[in-house]
Amino acid sequence: MSSAPPPSDPAPAAATSVAPPPGWDLRWRRTEPLRRRLALGAAVGSVGGLVLALLDTRWLRGGDGPDPGFGTVFFADAGVVVPFTLILGLLIGFGSWVLHPRAEPSVGGLLARLRDSAAGRPADVAAFAPLVVVGLFFWATLSAQVARVLLELDAAPHLVGASITAAALVIAGLVAVLVFAFTPALRQKLAALSGGARAAVDPAITLLVALLVVVALFAFGIHRGDVSGNGGFFGIYGIFKRPELDLRLPAMLLALAVVVYLAPPRLRALKPYQGVVLALLPLALAGRAATNLNADVDTARLIERSSPLGKGPLKLWRRLSDRDRDGASAYFGGGDCNDADPMIGPGADDIPDNGIDEDCSGSDLSLEGLTPAPAPPAPDPKVERRLPVDGNLVLITVDTLRYDLGYAGYERAISPQLDALAAKSIAYMRAYSLASYTGKSVGPMLIGKYGSETHRNWGHFNKFSTEDTFVAERFKRAGIHTVAIHGHHYFGVFGGLERGFDVIDLSAAPPEDAEWAKADTITSGKLTDAAIQRLKERPKDKRYFLWVHYLDPHADYKTHEGIESFGSNARAMYDHEVAYTDQQIGRLLDALGQQPDADKTSIIVSSDHGEAFGEHKMWRHGVELWETLVRVPLIVHVPGVDPKRVEARRSHIDLVPTMLDLMNIERPKGDDPNDFVSGQSLVADWFGEPAQRDIMIDMPGGPYNEARRAFIHGDLKLIISRGASKELFDLSTDPGEMRNVWGKRREEIEAPYALAKRRLREIVVTGKRK
């Protein structure tokens, strides 16, 4: 029996492949322009970021302070800039494709389109286009001049705004009429030239000539005008010389955008995949910066504070890489040593002697052997008896007034009235405000608490709740007549600064709906007039407290007849404003001296903060806590008390207890969690040898500033930024705060600061609390 042959193995299946769907290749080819535009945009953005980082590095290394070295700064700055410019290049590349899907834009192509539009009528377009450009420039210039005049008027802001809009529309109409009127004459001139000079009817050439004329006039205006816009018709453009008006960032971004937009035709040989490689290679610097900046805090701080282009991306990358959302990143110099635990980070409080480094300082804080600061001394009855009985008190504060007045050694004669007052008063030579801008300095100063101890909102113009008691409220409860004279509505019924005043005189202030951030009206003379009038009207059978806040030294700067001009730069114009304000304060001091109870009236003069004029590459105020921003004049005139100069450091935190002592009102005992004052009275300084005290400058965060705190112990000044970055300066040898000695002398300041911080009754406020 024969067996059947074994079944044969089935034939192997033929290899199969998935065919692309019909039309796929065509669709892929159609995306070529988009892919090319994105790849080239990313490549040019990435390489352009390297070029811009070179500029950034040059600017960063152009001033005083620590210099980590060109290579160190460049690689760090490029590491934070390049990812940003790469993304920007991608977006511009995509936008270029959306606007020009068929042909890549180029200068020649744009000019060709302009010439094509002039086909058959070249003289018409060649005449009309430049007149439009020049007309727009004159419209902008004349409108700005008219707006400047209208803003000087004492009128309701909505009327001024409507008038500016109407004037701009009228001027636009007149310019349009003139453009159309002059076009035929210019066309005839160009047509007459067309026979011998073809370029004369080329709209591209005439447009270029018009642009050059406009640029020349703009440059002339910048040269001729001053920082307030004085200097003739074109002098309005002098405002662009304002040092605080930093146009480097928009100029760099505009240049990058133009290059990315117009680069593709110049890079025809570059294939998309090559563009991708070229774009990604510099990203290695981002990884380098993410880790290296953790150890190189000087470079990180330099970029964070002074880089026109790098500081924005640096803040963004830190926020995106903050895994535990405690406000600090473990990368890009963010300082977080444990990004998995929100209770550990540079902004955390280090619990002493527990073996854990909660604040990422490098070691656990130890208070072993450290003696706590003594409690403030109780009022001395013998000292109090030497003060005026049933006295009055006048508080004069001057916005943005630096400490370096004439009596402090300034070479210009800008403050003769205050110098004369200082000569017969107690002059504190090293006094400090509580913050570097008004919203976070004046309120705490008059409450008697540090900024972080107040019940405030998150606003730039801080509001303070009724849980905080202003000194005027204490005076009013004691039967004292209280009067406030102001030139800004922030001091009116808004944020609590009005509480406790019987009279709030805002007659010198612009209308309430004027822009609050601007200080472009002259008010010192009106403030003094109002104060003198209120002195005449006050009840004569009551003691009084008068507060006048002068504003004119705050930019924008104005000129005043009869006041010496010191020049046209920002500091000179500021000095001019100070001299004018000093003159008006002198009028008030004269009026006070003529009062029948002048021998019982104490006077305190100070400022809410200082002003920077290029120190640390900074202009104006706010944000930082450098000496130029927080050192302020402080003059206390008390009838019967001998004049003296106090060199020991003192702070505005001491003003409320001092004012209460001067008016013989008991200070709060401090057993109420809300009703307390954090400072010490200055009265003992006047009758004995002033001892040194630690100084705390506490500026909580807000919508336009990150939290800053400074602590001065002896001559050492600690500055803490964002609760993370720490700098230490020895003011005795480095008054300009240029040499950071944190790494060498941190042990001398850590424990004293920890003790001072533990005494703060901090209230956490976030951006959610408006």
Side-chain angles (χ1 to χ4, degrees), residues 182-321:
F182 280 101
T183 296
L186 182 58
R187 179 184 58 203
Q188 291 176 3
K189 291 287 185 182
L190 295 175
L193 292 172
S194 63
R198 183 172 179 176
V201 292
D202 186 342
I205 299 298
T206 57
L207 185 62
L208 177 61
V209 170
L211 290 172
L212 291 175
V213 169
V214 167
V215 169
L217 291 174
F218 181 68
F220 172 75
I222 293 176
H223 172 73
R224 184 69 181 272
D226 60 29
V227 294
S228 291
N230 303 310
F233 181 70
F234 297 110
I236 191 72
Y237 296 110
I239 61 172
F240 287 96
K241 291 193 292 190
R242 291 187 177 185
E244 71 275 10
L245 189 63
D246 191 347
L247 299 177
R248 292 175 296 179
L249 175 60
M252 286 191 289
L253 294 181
L254 178 62
L256 179 66
V258 170
V259 172
V260 173
Y261 184 73
L262 298 176
R266 301 283 181 178
L267 301 174
R268 296 190 188 279
L270 193 67
K271 299 185 182 304
Y273 79 89
Q274 294 172 326
V276 172
V277 172
L278 190 61
L280 295 179
L281 282 177
L283 285 183
L285 295 175
R288 184 180 187 275
T291 55
N292 285 15
L293 285 177
N294 291 333
D296 191 357
V297 293
D298 284 339
T299 301
R301 191 177 296 115
L302 189 64
I303 296 173
E304 178 183 342
R305 281 184 169 150
S306 304
S307 169
L309 180 57
K311 60 185 174 184
L314 178 61
K315 185 176 180 179
L316 175 63
W317 308 143
R318 282 174 174 173
R319 181 177 298 176
L320 293 177
S321 59

Side-chain angles (χ1 to χ4, degrees), residues 33-50 52 81-98 105 252-264 267 275-276 279 283 309 317:
L34 173 60
R35 288 183 284 115
R36 173 177 168 77
R37 218 74 68 86
L38 291 176
L40 294 184
V44 176
S46 187
V47 175
L50 294 176
L52 296 181
V81 165
V82 165
F84 174 75
T85 56
L86 187 153
I87 295 172
L88 184 62
L90 280 171
L91 294 175
I92 296 172
F94 179 75
S96 167
W97 175 78
V98 170
M252 286 191 289
L253 294 181
L254 178 62
L256 179 66
V258 170
V259 172
V260 173
Y261 184 73
L262 298 176
L267 301 174
V276 172
L283 285 183
L309 180 57
W317 308 143

Side-chain angles (χ1 to χ4, degrees), residues 459-708:
H460 180 69
F461 291 100
N462 276 129
K463 297 180 179 181
F464 302 92
S465 74
T466 54
E467 295 163 289
D468 294 320
T469 303
F470 285 88
V471 68
E473 295 179 272
R474 302 184 192 277
F475 289 159
K476 186 172 183 178
R477 287 192 216 125
I480 297 168
H481 182 63
T482 53
V483 181
I485 314 289
H486 296 305
H488 196 290
H489 284 277
Y490 174 55
F491 302 95
V493 180
F494 173 76
L497 295 174
E498 81 284 357
R499 295 205 300 266
F501 285 101
D502 296 306
V503 176
I504 303 172
D505 190 322
L506 294 170
S507 59
E512 189 170 2
D513 53 352
E515 184 180 345
W516 280 25
K518 295 178 67 175
D520 57 357
T521 55
I522 300 172
T523 59
S524 291
K526 297 176 182 179
L527 289 167
T528 294
D529 291 342
I532 293 173
Q533 183 61 34
R534 294 297 179 177
L535 285 172
K536 295 176 182 177
E537 298 173 356
R538 67 182 174 91
K540 299 302 185 287
D541 59 341
K542 279 188 171 186
R543 297 194 293 158
Y544 71 89
F545 167 59
L546 171 65
W547 175 29
V548 186
H549 185 80
Y550 288 89
L551 280 164
D552 283 330
H554 192 294
D556 294 327
Y557 306 129
K558 302 296 182 181
T559 56
H560 308 276
E561 292 185 8
I563 302 297
E564 181 180 356
S565 173
F566 301 102
S568 60
N569 61 40
R571 181 62 198 266
M573 298 186 72
Y574 167 85
D575 286 347
H576 178 77
E577 289 276 29
V578 171
Y580 169 67
T581 303
D582 178 80
Q583 180 193 71
Q584 299 304 316
I585 291 175
R587 290 179 53 221
L588 176 56
L589 295 176
D590 289 342
L592 291 169
Q594 296 168 7
Q595 296 295 305
D597 49 3
D599 60 342
K600 297 193 298 182
T601 301
S602 299
I603 302 171
I604 298 176
V605 179
S606 194
S607 172
D608 55 351
H609 53 77
E611 186 82 330
F613 290 97
E615 299 91 346
H616 294 276
K617 299 183 180 180
M618 183 174 176
W619 299 86
R620 295 205 179 185
H621 54 268
V623 182
E624 302 291 351
L625 299 179
W626 304 119
E627 292 284 282
T628 51
L629 302 176
V630 294
R631 275 190 65 181
V632 291
L634 178 57
I635 302 170
V636 183
H637 177 72
V638 182
V641 176
D642 295 334
K644 68 187 299 186
R645 291 194 172 204
V646 177
E647 296 292 341
R649 292 185 175 88
R650 293 294 183 262
S651 164
H652 277 172
I653 199 66
D654 301 323
L655 284 188
V656 166
T658 303
M659 294 163 74
L660 293 175
D661 284 356
L662 284 171
M663 301 298 274
N664 297 308
I665 295 175
E666 185 179 5
R667 304 177 213 165
K669 294 181 172 59
D671 47 3
D672 185 318
N674 291 327
D675 191 20
F676 64 91
V677 293
S678 296
Q680 303 179 36
S681 175
L682 300 174
V683 171
D685 294 343
W686 310 338
F687 305 105
E689 187 61 31
Q692 287 287 356
R693 298 178 188 168
D694 291 341
I695 301 295
M696 180 81 77
I697 305 159
D698 180 42
M699 187 164 70
Y704 307 121
N705 71 285
E706 293 182 320
R708 292 285 192 275

